């Protein structure tokens, strides 16, 4: 709610909401009312403010009369106030690409859509394959906070939620991040199934292509290796 006070009236002057023009930018708007006070003061109130932008007023010509009967010129435009009714949001990024395994330390960064207050401190929580109770983040700037997270046991998707952060107008952060809300935890060792280019048994000098099909994607480095023991032997050797 905003109030403006005008002291240019005599007891016979009339001022009502219809004499007030709202000067707005963006999507900001509100409801105008005028008190019914007597004397030289009238209070204009703007309530039910919605949207985002600036709000001020102007007063129509002739709405005030001095004791000599002179009509007042139009008043304003007044100074303006900023209306902010939009909740801040946060985009999440990670210091390294996932998936992550037990013991990995990942710096999680929340970049807010606008400046947020120092207090209450923005908090992060995690649910799903890993969990973290709501915990304070560390300030880097008015729009950037970080949290150093040590990955736990488990497998699957973990989901981040934000809490408590407020913009300068007091709007609370939206819980669901706009991006980067999930990460994957993988603590299961991959397995390999072996196949041969043709069926055995084999004799000396036969060339057999041995194929390892892994249960999930594996990295290019370190290169997967194969070894053979028993009736034939092969020291650990890179596969192609």
């Amino acid at each position: 709610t905003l109030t403006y006070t005008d002291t240019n009236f005599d007891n016979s002057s009339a001022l009502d909401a219809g004499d007030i023009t709202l000067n707005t930018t963006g999507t900001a708007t509100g409801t105008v009312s005028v008190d019914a006070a007597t004397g030289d003061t009238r209070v204009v109130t703007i309530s039910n403010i919605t949207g985002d932008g600036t709000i001020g007023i102007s007063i129509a010509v002739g709405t005030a009369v001095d004791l000599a009967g002179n009509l007042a010129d139009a008043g304003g435009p007044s100074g303006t106030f900023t209306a902010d009714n939009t909740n801040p949001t946060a985009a999440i990024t990670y210091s390294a690409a996932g998936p992550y395994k037990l013991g990995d330390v990942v710096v999680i960064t929340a970049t807010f859509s606008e400046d947020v207050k120092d207090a209450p401190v923005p908090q992060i929580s995690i649910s799903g394959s890993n969990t973290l109770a709501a915990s304070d983040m560390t300030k880097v700037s008015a729009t950037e906070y970080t949290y150093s997270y040590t990955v736990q046991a488990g497998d699957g998707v973990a989901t981040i939620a934000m809490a408590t952060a407020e913009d300068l107008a007091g709007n609370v952060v939206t819980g669901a991040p706009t991006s980067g809300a999930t990460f994957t935890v993988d603590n299961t060792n991959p397995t390999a199934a072996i196949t041969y280019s043709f069926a055995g048994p084999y004799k000396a000098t036969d060339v057999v292509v041995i194929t390892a099909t892994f249960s999930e994607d594996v990295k290019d480095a370190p290169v997967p290796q194969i070894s053979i023991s028993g009736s034939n032997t092969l020291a650990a050797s890179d596969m192609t």
Side-chain angles (χ1 to χ4, degrees):
T1 299
L2 305 179
T3 59
Y4 292 88
T5 302
D6 195 332
T7 57
N8 295 316
F9 298 87
D10 70 9
N11 286 337
S12 64
S13 299
L15 180 71
D16 59 35
D19 297 319
I20 307 300
T21 298
L22 280 182
N23 304 318
T24 64
T25 62
T27 58
T29 189
T31 302
V32 176
S33 61
V34 181
D35 75 347
T38 58
D40 65 356
T41 300
R42 300 291 185 273
V43 177
V44 178
T45 300
I46 306 172
S47 57
N48 302 318
I49 296 171
T50 61
D52 296 284
T54 59
I55 298 178
I57 63 170
S58 294
I59 300 175
V61 65
T63 55
V65 182
D66 67 15
L67 297 180
N70 299 302
L71 294 177
D73 295 332
S78 68
T80 60
F81 295 82
T82 299
D84 177 0
N85 290 290
T86 298
N87 299 92
T89 58
I92 300 297
T93 55
Y94 304 87
S95 56
Y100 311 109
K101 67 180 186 301
L102 177 67
D104 285 346
V105 177
V106 184
V107 177
I108 300 171
T109 299
T111 302
F112 294 95
S113 57
E114 57 184 307
D115 289 356
V116 295
K117 298 176 181 178
D118 290 341
V121 177
Q123 292 189 322
I124 185 175
S125 62
I126 300 174
S127 61
S129 64
N130 270 212
T131 59
L132 175 71
S135 302
D136 289 351
M137 303 186 78
T138 300
K139 182 179 180 179
V140 177
S141 70
T143 58
E144 186 175 317
Y145 281 71
T146 63
Y147 186 84
S148 183
Y149 179 66
T150 301
V151 178
Q152 307 164 19
D155 291 279
V157 175
T159 301
I160 288 174
M162 301 300 302
T164 66
E166 295 181 3
D167 67 14
L168 302 185
N171 300 303
V172 179
V173 67
T174 301
T178 55
S179 61
T182 62
F183 61 91
T184 300
V185 178
D186 181 359
N187 285 296
T188 298
N189 295 327
T191 59
I194 299 298
T195 57
Y196 304 88
S197 56
F198 62 94
Y202 310 109
K203 66 182 185 299
T205 72
D206 282 348
V207 177
V208 183
V209 177
I210 302 172
T211 299
T213 302
F214 293 96
S215 56
E216 58 185 304
D217 289 351
V218 295
K219 297 178 179 178
D220 291 339
V223 177
Q225 291 187 322
I226 187 174
S227 63
I228 301 173
S229 61
S231 62
N232 271 211
T233 59
L234 174 70
S237 302
D238 289 351
M239 302 187 76
T240 301

